[in-house]
């Protein structure tokens, strides 16, 4: 953990994307790729980084279960939390520039299961806090650091590279 040392946007982005990847993997997702940078496409604007995940058993033909929505929200918020831990700067993801998009996406994912805005905020804050304490554990933080280091070295990690790194660091988790 860096505890407030200044770093480049690239390093913070690597930890951010690694947070998404590690939590997705821990929750049973297949991480197809992560990268630094991301050009605009039909779905997303230009961005600092990108993490592409596939969830087994999920299809566009049926609505997601409450558990699936929770997995997705945990994964979405894991990026800002990893960045928070690495930088040593606790912030509310809804109020911090780079995390606002993740917060908004998480907000939309739980809208159908938590309709009241104050309750939804509380729900997302509880998930953020849960992630913050869990991701600081030695096992998950080592995995996040390893993935971030690999991402900084290569700028793009494909599924096979990620599976090797995540499989090594997460086998005991």
């Amino acid at each position: 953990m860096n505890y407030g040392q200044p770093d480049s946007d690239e390093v913070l982005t690597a930890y951010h994307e690694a947070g998404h990847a590690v939590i997705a993997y821990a929750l049973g997702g297949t991480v197809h790729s992560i990268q630094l940078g991301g050009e605009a496409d039909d779905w997303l604007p230009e961005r600092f980084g990108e993490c592409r995940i596939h969830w087994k058993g999920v299809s566009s033909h049926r609505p997601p279960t409450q558990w699936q929505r929770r997995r997705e929200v945990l994964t979405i918020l894991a990026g800002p939390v990893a960045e928070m831990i690495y930088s040593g700067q606790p912030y509310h993801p809804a109020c911090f520039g780079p995390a606002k998009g993740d917060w908004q996406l998480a907000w939309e994912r739980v809208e159908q299961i938590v309709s009241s805005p104050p309750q939804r905020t509380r729900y997302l804050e509880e998930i953020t806090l849960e992630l913050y304490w869990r991701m600081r554990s030695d096992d998950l933080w080592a995995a996040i650091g390893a993935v971030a280091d690999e991402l900084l070295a290569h700028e793009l990690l494909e599924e096979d590279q990620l599976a090797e790194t995540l499989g090594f660091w997460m086998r005991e988790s």
Side-chain angles (χ1 to χ4, degrees):
M1 292 172 225
N2 195 24
Y3 297 113
Q5 298 301 317
D7 276 295
S8 70
D9 287 342
E10 187 175 65
V11 172
L12 292 173
T13 299
Y15 273 86
H16 183 110
E17 298 308 323
H20 291 311
V22 167
I23 294 303
Y25 183 87
L27 294 172
T30 300
V31 184
H32 286 294
S33 66
I34 61 173
Q35 71 180 50
L36 295 175
E39 295 184 20
D41 58 25
D42 291 341
W43 301 100
L44 297 167
E46 187 172 336
R47 51 217 173 269
F48 291 113
E50 179 174 74
C51 182
R52 294 189 180 260
I53 301 159
H54 173 74
W55 298 101
K56 294 173 186 81
V58 174
S59 91
S60 59
H61 303 296
R62 58 181 175 217
T65 64
Q66 189 167 347
W67 165 237
Q68 178 57 30
R69 287 184 192 275
R70 182 168 171 79
R71 285 196 309 179
E72 291 173 7
V73 168
L74 283 160
T75 300
I76 292 164
L77 293 177
V81 170
E83 193 173 337
M84 246 190 278
I85 293 168
Y86 180 79
S87 70
Q89 301 295 318
Y91 57 78
H92 195 292
C95 303
F96 182 66
K100 285 181 182 180
D102 288 320
W103 181 268
Q104 184 60 40
L105 188 57
W107 180 268
E108 292 166 4
R109 291 304 297 157
V110 297
E111 190 169 13
Q112 292 181 2
I113 57 174
V114 185
S115 59
S116 161
Q119 289 176 336
R120 194 173 330 148
T121 298
R122 193 167 29 260
Y123 178 79
L124 294 175
E125 287 171 343
E126 288 170 3
I127 286 176
T128 301
L129 190 58
E130 174 187 337
L131 282 165
Y132 182 83
W133 290 110
R134 179 64 180 111
M135 288 170 64
R136 290 172 54 96
S137 68
D138 289 343
D139 59 339
L140 284 180
W141 195 249
I144 291 166
V147 171
D149 287 347
E150 288 286 321
L151 186 55
L152 286 165
H154 303 288
E155 294 186 6
L156 171 68
L157 298 174
E158 299 285 349
E159 186 175 339
D160 57 336
Q161 296 166 294
L162 285 161
E164 184 178 321
T165 302
L166 290 168
F168 176 81
W169 287 100
M170 306 277 304
R171 67 177 175 259
E172 301 291 322
S173 299

